[in-house]
Amino acid sequence: MKLAKIFKLIPLLLLPFVHHAAAAGLELQPISDKVYAIVGELSNRSPSNLGNNATFGFVVTSAGVLLVDPGGSYRGAEEIHQVIKQVTEQPVVMVINTGGQDHRWLGNDYFKRQGARIIASAAAVADQQARLQDQFIRLTGLVGEAGIEGTEPIYADETFDQRLDFMLGETRIEVYHSGQAHTPGDSYVWLPQDQVMFTGDIVYVERMLGVGSQSNSKSWIEAFEAMAAFEPRHLVPGHGKVTTLAHARKDTLGYLQFLRSAVAAFMDDGGDMSDIGSIDQSSYHYLQNHDTLAGRNAQQVFSEMEWE
Ligand SMILES: [Zn+2]
């Protein structure tokens, strides 16, 4: 769908007036001399972060740069490219979309114009197509008309079902889709030579994860375990700084398991959805955004578990 058409659906009064904001709060975090994370803000999308409220990553090879997730808008993608240019003159030749969430794919068009080839799981592309209109409306409300300027939805050139392996220069890259997690098409990217895992939205650290209507908390746990079986030395999470498997287990797997057992106990006690806020999630209040997400997460898991 053309962006112009989508804009017609948005009441203009909802669009906040924004200035062209400078730098999007992206932090470069080196893991080795060729593998890097780009850590965005933990908060929601905003006019200053241009939709880049997530963690991205890239690998410099002799055949060009592999980028894991292109950012949440055209201008957000430009900001990511500026960070990459701080460490290499190599062009971005390949982009992987690790999922269907806006910050995993709405920067595709920018990098495609630079000549990059785009890869995603077939399930991620189906999710991107299904939620395109919702994502544009929501994103425009949060980053503003100037923030989303130039953003065109472009889908992957190549898709895979469960696994894709390839070499880029001397670097071996393995991409896996193990089932629905935060979104239906979430994938993780494994660099066996460097023991680095880019987890996409399968792992959140420092901030509370979001279980939405596009998520499945049960298979999210299974996808986490499939990813963790590689025992990566370094994790580039979907949200938060570069981390360890132990930390990811605590903030993501631990929280998902806690939430599911707390909701199961609540249902066993005959609890009603309207009273779901009475579930005590205080042991996870150290995670950022917990006050906006904790109740919603419990509600979503409740509706999921009614059907399990
Ligand atoms: Zn995300």
Side-chain angles (χ1 to χ4, degrees):
M1 186 186 289
K2 275 274 180 280
L3 190 57
K5 246 190 234 165
I6 293 163
F7 271 127
K8 286 199 190 107
L9 303 169
I10 306 167
L12 285 171
L13 287 173
L14 287 178
L15 301 173
F17 176 78
V18 287
H19 298 281
H20 272 266
L26 297 173
E27 188 193 322
L28 179 70
Q29 219 190 333
I31 296 167
S32 71
D33 58 352
K34 59 173 191 158
V35 185
Y36 297 83
I38 301 175
V39 184
E41 295 177 341
L42 295 175
S43 53
N44 206 340
R45 298 145 185 86
S46 71
S48 64
N49 68 35
L50 299 169
N52 287 344
N53 63 327
T55 300
F56 314 95
F58 64 98
V59 188
V60 183
T61 80
S62 57
V65 174
L66 165 79
L67 172 63
V68 180
D69 296 321
S73 63
Y74 187 90
R75 290 184 55 213
E78 261 178 335
E79 296 278 348
I80 286 175
H81 200 191
Q82 289 308 316
V83 177
I84 295 171
K85 285 175 181 169
Q86 290 172 21
V87 297
T88 180
E89 290 297 305
Q90 290 264 38
V92 175
V93 293
M94 204 168 275
V95 175
I96 295 172
N97 300 157
T98 61
Q101 201 74 31
D102 47 6
H103 39 236
R104 306 286 163 217
W105 76 283
L106 284 179
N108 279 351
D109 177 49
Y110 172 84
F111 287 103
K112 182 134 184 180
R113 285 168 190 268
Q114 312 288 314
R117 180 171 174 76
I118 299 160
I119 294 170
S121 73
V125 173
D127 179 39
Q128 292 162 5
Q129 289 168 336
R131 291 194 294 139
L132 170 64
Q133 191 170 313
D134 287 350
Q135 289 187 357
F136 261 105
I137 291 171
R138 181 158 168 257
L139 186 63
T140 306
L142 293 168
V143 306
E145 201 174 351
I148 204 168
E149 193 184 317
T151 307
E152 290 286 344
I154 293 288
Y155 302 103
D157 300 300
E158 182 182 347
T159 60
F160 65 96
D161 289 328
Q162 291 174 321
R163 178 175 177 170
L164 184 73
D165 295 356
F166 59 94
M167 297 293 292
L168 193 60
E170 70 295 345
T171 305
R172 181 173 170 82
I173 294 146
E174 301 175 7
V175 196
Y176 296 86
H177 167 58
S178 301
Q180 185 173 10
H182 176 62
T183 74
D186 284 343
S187 306
Y188 45 94
V189 181
W190 175 232
L191 306 180
Q193 295 147 323
D194 304 271
Q195 298 284 299
V196 175
M197 184 70 85
F198 299 94
T199 71
D201 281 328
I202 294 168
V203 174
Y204 286 56
V205 293
E206 304 164 53
R207 59 153 286 188
M208 184 166 273
L209 58 82
V211 186
S213 54
Q214 79 290 342
S215 312
N216 184 294
S217 64
K218 190 177 184 202
S219 58
W220 191 336
I221 288 171
E222 292 159 8
F224 185 104
E225 296 288 18
M227 178 282 297
F230 289 83
E231 298 184 355
R233 194 179 306 150
H234 309 280
L235 272 78
V236 180
H239 295 269
K241 293 194 179 69
V242 176
T243 192
T244 59
L245 194 51
H247 189 197
R249 281 190 192 283
K250 180 169 185 271
D251 287 3
T252 295
L253 183 65
Y255 177 62
L256 285 170
Q257 287 169 334
F258 156 79
L259 192 58
R260 286 182 57 84
S261 58
V263 170
F266 176 83
M267 291 170 86
D268 282 349
D269 288 349
D272 185 80
M273 171 82 104
S274 62
D275 198 27
I276 196 92
S278 65
I279 292 179
D280 179 11
Q281 300 195 37
S282 56
S283 46
Y284 288 92
H285 279 188
Y286 71 93
L287 295 172
Q288 202 168 309
N289 307 328
H290 71 85
D291 45 336
T292 43
L293 289 172
R296 248 178 49 188
N297 287 346
Q299 218 170 56
Q300 187 60 39
V301 169
F302 184 101
S303 3
E304 256 181 47
M305 291 180 86
E306 277 186 313
W307 298 96
E308 279 175 9

